[in-house]
Amino acid sequence: MDNPPELDGRVAVVTGGTRGVGAGIVRAFLRAGAEVVVCARRPPDAPVEVAGRKAEFVPVDLRDGDAVRAFFARVATDYGRLDALVNNAGGTPYRPLSAADANRHARVLELNLTAPLIASLTAYEVMTARQGPEGAGPEGAGGSITMIGSVSGSRPSPGTAAYGAAKAGLEHLARSMAVEWAPAVRVNTLVLGMVRTELSHLHYGDEEGVAAVGRTVPLGRLAEPEEIGEVAVFLASDRAAYISGASLLVHGGGERPAFLDAANADRTD
């Protein structure tokens, strides 16, 4: 007999899960048996679904604290529980620091750091509020929160400096949450490298450009969104029950150091 999907009966929220990496995460959670609720400012062009199972979409501006609290209250009412939150929403345009004022850069920080903080605080309340029979105490209360970080948070990010700073802060925030909220809620970060999405051409150019960029990665290609989703499912599952406060690199081996190709030393010996 086949084992049931590992997240069967569980409820997950994926922020910004309408396209790209977020949609890949949503599909992985659906495939694992979870009920998935997606929130973002704009609806997807088509419902995110796998094998006839669809994610519910709710429009939310994640920078609006009142709207976020109302959203999670709706999830609690409609589903009776919340087991996993994936803070995926974020992003930034290419913008050198001197090309914009501080307020414009602050908006990047707000979306990529403050918004996940607001969502996590509210999700924590829902995850830990579930009661047992007759309100006698917690029954299975708790859950998993996963931040979607970036290698930009640990290396120079010219053109996306505010984004890199936010991702660095997000990773530190996750570690602090993991300590404060243990043992009820586990908090981890997926530190992503380059992922092939429908917007890759904006960053890397045509197919030849995408392939050329992929060759700079030790594994020889960009990640696919579903591959990120599978790791997110793992962190939300019982298989990761002893993993909290961790930063898991999902970057195909990282970046080949530039000095290796610039040096002219004789390596034949």
Side-chain angles (χ1 to χ4, degrees):
M1 180 180 296
D2 292 336
N3 292 326
E6 58 188 319
L7 298 184
D8 194 26
R10 302 189 190 183
V11 177
V13 166
V14 180
T15 69
T18 58
R19 64 184 182 183
V21 171
I25 293 170
V26 171
R27 286 190 287 268
F29 270 80
L30 288 170
R31 197 176 295 114
E35 298 292 332
V36 184
V37 185
V38 174
C39 61
R41 284 187 298 165
R42 292 181 291 273
D45 294 333
V48 184
E49 61 181 310
V50 168
R53 302 189 68 242
K54 296 181 181 180
E56 179 186 2
F57 172 78
V58 178
V60 180
D61 184 344
L62 291 160
R63 296 167 297 186
D64 183 337
D66 290 338
V68 171
R69 285 184 283 274
F71 164 71
F72 280 101
R74 172 176 171 174
V75 171
T77 298
D78 291 350
Y79 293 90
R81 60 189 295 156
L82 175 62
D83 301 283
L85 166 65
V86 181
N87 280 308
N88 166 78
T92 184
Y94 178 85
R95 182 180 293 126
L97 283 169
S98 59
D101 61 20
N103 289 334
R104 184 66 63 88
H105 293 301
R107 288 182 63 82
V108 175
L109 293 170
E110 185 181 17
L111 175 61
N112 291 279
L113 180 57
T114 305
L117 171 60
I118 294 170
S120 298
L121 287 167
T122 313
Y124 171 78
E125 295 177 1
V126 177
M127 288 176 175
T128 57
R130 194 162 65 248
Q131 297 293 305
E134 300 178 0
E139 180 182 55
S144 165
I145 296 175
T146 301
M147 308 294 192
I148 300 301
S150 170
V151 294
S152 294
S154 59
R155 59 158 169 75
S157 298
T160 58
Y163 174 81
K167 291 301 187 180
L170 189 65
E171 193 172 349
H172 186 277
L173 178 65
R175 293 195 188 107
S176 297
M177 286 178 172
V179 174
E180 290 196 21
W181 294 350
V185 175
R186 297 182 297 105
V187 188
N188 295 290
T189 304
L190 288 184
V191 182
L192 305 188
M194 296 178 287
V195 184
R196 184 186 181 103
T197 72
E198 58 267 57
L199 299 180
S200 290
H201 66 282
L202 298 178
H203 303 281
Y204 313 126
D206 57 17
E207 284 298 312
E208 183 177 347
V210 172
V213 170
R215 287 192 292 272
T216 70
V217 178
L219 287 187
R221 63 178 178 83
L222 276 59
E224 296 294 335
E226 283 76 7
E227 292 177 306
I228 307 303
E230 292 300 324
V231 186
V233 165
F234 165 70
L235 286 179
S237 74
D238 293 339
R239 290 182 292 155
Y242 200 66
I243 301 177
S244 193
S247 296
L248 181 56
L249 291 165
V250 188
H251 60 6
E255 300 174 356
R256 178 177 171 84
F259 78 85
L260 292 176
D261 298 317
N264 63 3
D266 185 357
R267 303 193 189 100
T268 59
D269 294 337

